[in-house]
Amino acid sequence: NGNTMLLITMDTASEVGNDSKVNKVGHSHSHDSYTRPLCLVEISLDVDADRDGQVERNNPNKGSWMWGPNGHGAILLVNCDSEHTYGKRRDSECAEVTRVSDLKDMSPMVLRTSGPAKLPEGYKLTMHISQGDAESVRVFRTRSTDYPLVLGSEDLSKEVPYLGGNAEMNFYVEGLRFPDKDFEGLISISLSLLEPSSPGFPETPIFTDRVVFRVAPWIMTPNTLNPVEVFVCRQLFLCIWLPSTSDNYQFLKGMRRLVENSGYKLKVCHEYMNRGDRWMQDEIEFGYIDSPHQRFPVVLDSPRDGELQDFPYDVLLGPDFGYVTRTAYNVEVSSLDSFGNLEVSPPVIVNGKIYPLGRIIIGVAFPTATKGRNMTKVVQDFLWAQKVQEPIALFSDWLLVGHVDEFMTFVPAPDKKGFRLLLASPDAGYKLFRGLQNDGHGQAKMFDGRISVKEITVDEILSDDKLRAENNYVQSCIDWNRDVLKRELGLDDDDIIDLPILFHVMEENRAVAYYPDMVNMIVLGKNLGIPKPFGPKVDGRCALEAEMTSLMEGLGLCCTYIDDFASYHKLLGEVHCGSNVRREPFSFKWWNLEM
């Protein structure tokens, strides 16, 4: 790629005869004294190969791609946002540049030439891509009044003008698809100088310059990154004097207070859009894409497609806000395809290997199970193909809903690894209840004041052998996951906090939380929005809240307890299930990963 100075020559003997022969000189060999130069041409197809946001001249590494802080190679964004807010569609679905603002989502590429006013007769410059790359990229050219399409699925090769003299021609490269099982993410674009052949034969290339791009991956954001905005659904009850499970007024009231006091924006999805679907976490996952020249959030839409299915496309998609989805064709979608079953850890170091963007966490069936529910393959393939947040598969099929957020989450911490893993723990729950009983509080009641559920005392819970057996099973499932998380995230026991949460087993031997599942929380910096557990009261204070607050205060975290009992818990979800947080991106640049 460094040899871009061409000396086009003609054999002296050919001038006399009928044939003329033009050769390339100075690329790999020289000619003898029987040649006479026609013109000297310098050609360079240039990109931002050093990843500083500028297109440098003839970088010697532009034709390859390497990871790491000392790596090289240009970066391409999938143009998955929409410059239009009405009649919108993703910009990548439109094979033309409809607004100049769309160009900032594309990667610049420059053809630099230096030479005579025009090339010898019959010579021409051609830009080309492979058939394999044609579905993944488009190239546009800058013209005086518009941006014509140069390369795409219908045009694998096209002549580009030679401007003459010292000239630069600007191009814009558009990514069309994310890395996936059948697409590693690398794209090559070539520019060739063609010479005429004998009549009846096609032109032949005498010089080719090549550049390589890697498509930026979709990146998830963990709880330890700062929030930007919080999304929830509104569900109003029909009769103001008869609150029911369709009403989430108390939940919304608590969330609004928490979010506003934390200094963030609350975005409410109203009934006309959510159509009765309150599970904001399950429908979408927020992430982002990044390059040296542009970055914007991208929402991943789950294949669950509940009544919220239009929200991510109709509301979120817009200028500098992208959209991507994976559809499970001819495959039954299960509860495990909802994105309460998709989480990501904070950055970790595992056996010396650094994961500066954390690791994706999903829930699946137990590895040896002959049948069970799994996250659909198209979503798993997509997540693995992004490469920068290598996924971990946990066993979540033991839960009735089957989501990893029912038994685990991460919170920021001022010491150690910068976070703690919180795990639901029936053992911790029974320890707390036995302590209450031993202290003479065996008659303290769970669910005090809850209309829709029978109150139960600490003594009754501890004497329920069936409940104890169910929680022994649940604890064994969580312990299996605990071992996986310790191994795959490089954690010690000191990095894990066990939360006192009991479960009970329902149909198909799958479990649900016995009382509001405190681990299913929303994390807003140092403020936690936790499902109000309605535990037994001691001296007027909920013992479960007291324990939770004590555990979190040691990390400098503030606990707010949100009443989601009727509106979410009774429907087998909690605070995290009913909310979603868009967060700031990592400061770490994904292309600096050591792969």
Side-chain angles (χ1 to χ4, degrees):
N1 283 326
N3 302 316
T4 57
M5 187 73 74
L6 301 181
L7 181 65
I8 300 177
T9 65
M10 177 179 291
D11 288 352
T12 304
S14 298
E15 290 183 311
V16 180
N18 294 325
D19 298 334
S20 65
K21 173 65 179 173
V22 182
N23 299 287
K24 177 176 65 173
V25 178
H27 183 56
S28 59
H29 61 276
S30 61
H31 284 262
D32 56 30
S33 59
Y34 295 100
T35 60
R36 181 163 62 88
L38 290 180
C39 65
L40 190 66
V41 184
E42 184 178 358
I43 302 170
S44 182
L45 186 62
D46 293 328
V47 293
D48 179 18
D50 61 4
R51 306 167 184 165
D52 65 353
Q54 304 296 322
V55 177
E56 66 273 12
R57 181 181 293 272
N58 201 26
N59 188 310
N61 295 314
K62 64 187 180 182
S64 61
W65 211 96
M66 190 174 82
W67 294 88
N70 298 315
H72 57 261
I75 292 165
L76 189 61
L77 296 178
V78 176
N79 196 10
C80 58
D81 69 338
S82 174
E83 300 304 311
H84 299 269
T85 53
Y86 298 99
K88 70 173 84 169
R89 59 177 172 171
R90 282 175 286 185
D91 294 332
S92 58
E93 297 171 5
C94 183
E96 58 181 321
V97 177
T98 58
R99 294 188 177 179
V100 175
S101 59
D102 195 25
L103 297 177
K104 68 182 184 297
D105 302 330
M106 305 182 194
S107 294
M109 181 172 68
V110 180
L111 170 58
R112 294 183 169 108
T113 54
S114 179
K118 62 179 182 179
L119 294 173
E121 184 176 355
Y123 286 78
K124 63 183 181 181
L125 293 173
T126 302
M127 189 173 288
H128 47 103
I129 54 176
S130 69
Q131 182 77 54
D133 287 346
E135 300 300 321
S136 305
V137 68
R138 291 194 196 100
V139 178
F140 298 92
R141 176 169 71 87
T142 299
R143 207 159 52 183
S144 56
T145 59
D146 62 351
Y147 302 89
L149 178 67
V150 179
L151 300 177
S153 59
E154 304 297 321
D155 298 285
L156 303 184
S157 177
K158 187 169 288 186
E159 182 178 356
V160 296
Y162 171 77
L163 298 182
N166 295 318
E168 291 188 356
M169 186 180 301
N170 293 317
F171 296 84
Y172 291 93
V173 185
E174 177 185 37
L176 304 182
R177 57 188 296 228
F178 282 94
D180 215 322
K181 184 183 179 182
D182 59 347
F183 175 50
E184 185 183 4
L186 291 175
I187 291 170
S188 297
I189 300 174
S190 298
L191 180 88
S192 294
L193 176 64
L194 304 183
E195 67 172 350
S197 298
S198 301
F201 292 92
E203 304 103 332
T204 56
I206 59 172
F207 168 78
T208 296
D209 207 10
R210 185 177 80 119
V211 295
V212 173
F213 292 87
R214 181 179 289 277
V215 176
W218 179 78
I219 301 172
M220 288 179 63
T221 53
N223 286 348
T224 48
L225 291 175
N226 288 331
V228 176
E229 52 191 359
V230 179
F231 292 82
V232 294
C233 292
R234 188 179 74 165
Q235 304 286 329
L236 291 184
F237 50 81
L238 299 178
C239 301
I240 195 166
W241 60 86
L242 185 62
S244 71
T245 54
S246 65
D247 162 33
N248 73 343
Y249 173 77
Q250 288 296 332
F251 168 82
L252 204 56
K253 180 180 176 182
M255 287 292 292
R256 188 179 301 278
R257 185 183 302 115
L258 169 68
V259 174
E260 291 177 355
N261 289 344
S262 301
Y264 305 113
K265 299 177 183 176
L266 182 69
K267 297 286 187 73
V268 179
C269 176
H270 292 274
E271 292 85 346
Y272 73 90
M273 177 56 67
N274 66 54
R275 296 176 295 189
D277 186 352
R278 66 193 67 204
W279 307 112
M280 182 62 78
Q281 183 66 224
D282 289 339
E283 185 62 38
I284 58 176
E285 187 67 48
F286 287 111
Y288 69 96
I289 56 176
D290 193 12
S291 73
H293 65 277
Q294 171 70 320
R295 177 177 69 194
F296 55 80
V298 176
V299 62
L300 175 63
D301 188 5
S302 81
R304 124 187 222 272
D305 286 345
E307 294 302 318
L308 264 172
Q309 63 178 329
D310 294 336
F311 170 74
Y313 195 94
D314 290 352
V315 176
L316 298 178
L317 174 64
D320 293 337
F321 206 123
Y323 171 94
V324 62
T325 190
R326 285 295 177 267
T327 302
Y329 295 106
N330 302 318
V331 176
E332 183 178 348
V333 173
S334 76
S335 175
L336 273 66
D337 292 307
S338 297
F339 286 166
N341 196 34
L342 173 61
E343 298 297 323
V344 64
S345 80
V348 292
I349 302 175
V350 185
N351 296 324
K353 182 174 181 180
I354 303 174
Y355 296 90
L357 302 174
R359 298 188 68 178
I360 286 171
I361 297 170
I362 63 170
V364 297
F366 194 73
T368 59
T370 55
K371 62 178 182 178
R373 301 168 300 173
N374 276 296
M375 180 177 282
T376 191
K377 188 173 183 298
V378 291
V379 175
Q380 290 200 51
D381 287 344
F382 173 81
L383 296 174
W384 276 96
Q386 306 315 302
K387 288 190 175 182
V388 297
Q389 296 175 306
E390 185 182 334
I392 302 166
L394 298 182
F395 170 38
S396 67
D397 194 32
W398 59 273
L399 289 153
L400 183 61
V401 177
H403 297 175
V404 293
D405 71 350
E406 296 177 78
F407 65 88
M408 61 159 290
T409 192
F410 298 94
V411 295
D415 58 358
K416 297 184 183 295
K417 297 178 173 66
F419 69 89
R420 294 289 192 279
L421 167 64
L422 307 186
L423 286 179
S425 172
D427 283 354
Y430 274 100
K431 180 180 178 182
L432 183 143
F433 287 123
R434 283 195 303 270
L436 291 176
Q437 187 183 60
N438 292 338
D439 291 339
H441 302 293
Q443 290 303 301
K445 296 177 180 178
M446 291 284 303
F447 313 126
D448 186 20
R450 295 292 91 194
I451 299 174
S452 57
V453 65
K454 180 184 176 183
E455 295 176 352
I456 185 169
T457 67
V458 171
D459 286 342
E460 289 172 323
I461 290 173
L462 292 175
S463 64
D464 189 334
D465 293 338
K466 180 175 181 293
L467 183 65
R468 178 74 241 205
E470 291 172 353
N471 277 278
N472 287 340
Y473 164 71
V474 168
Q475 187 66 59
S476 69
C477 295
I478 295 174
D479 285 345
W480 192 89
N481 287 305
R482 181 192 189 99
D483 290 340
V484 173
L485 289 164
K486 287 174 66 176
R487 181 177 68 249
E488 298 296 333
L489 297 180
L491 304 181
D492 302 317
D493 285 328
D494 289 345
D495 300 313
I496 303 172
I497 297 176
D498 294 310
L499 303 185
I501 299 166
L502 301 187
F503 293 78
H504 65 108
V505 174
M506 299 180 69
E507 63 261 28
E508 298 181 335
N509 287 323
R510 290 188 168 115
V512 299
Y514 186 71
Y515 46 81
D517 187 358
M518 293 184 293
V519 79
N520 192 273
M521 65 178 69
I522 184 173
V523 180
L524 302 178
K526 292 186 176 182
N527 296 315
L528 310 179
I530 302 170
K532 188 174 180 63
F534 294 97
K537 290 183 177 180
V538 176
D539 298 328
R541 187 182 184 192
C542 171
L544 289 168
E545 288 186 23
E547 175 69 7
M548 184 73 187
T549 299
S550 175
L551 291 170
M552 296 300 101
E553 280 181 345
L555 302 175
L557 303 175
C558 179
C559 300
T560 298
Y561 296 93
I562 296 173
D563 181 0
D564 73 350
F565 196 93
S567 54
Y568 290 87
H569 172 71
K570 295 291 287 184
L571 302 177
L572 307 184
E574 308 287 359
V575 170
H576 187 257
C577 306
S579 61
N580 216 311
V581 184
R582 182 168 75 86
R583 300 181 183 275
E584 293 180 359
F586 283 99
S587 59
F588 181 87
K589 301 301 183 182
W590 63 265
W591 52 88
N592 288 328
L593 267 171
E594 301 277 7
M595 298 293 278

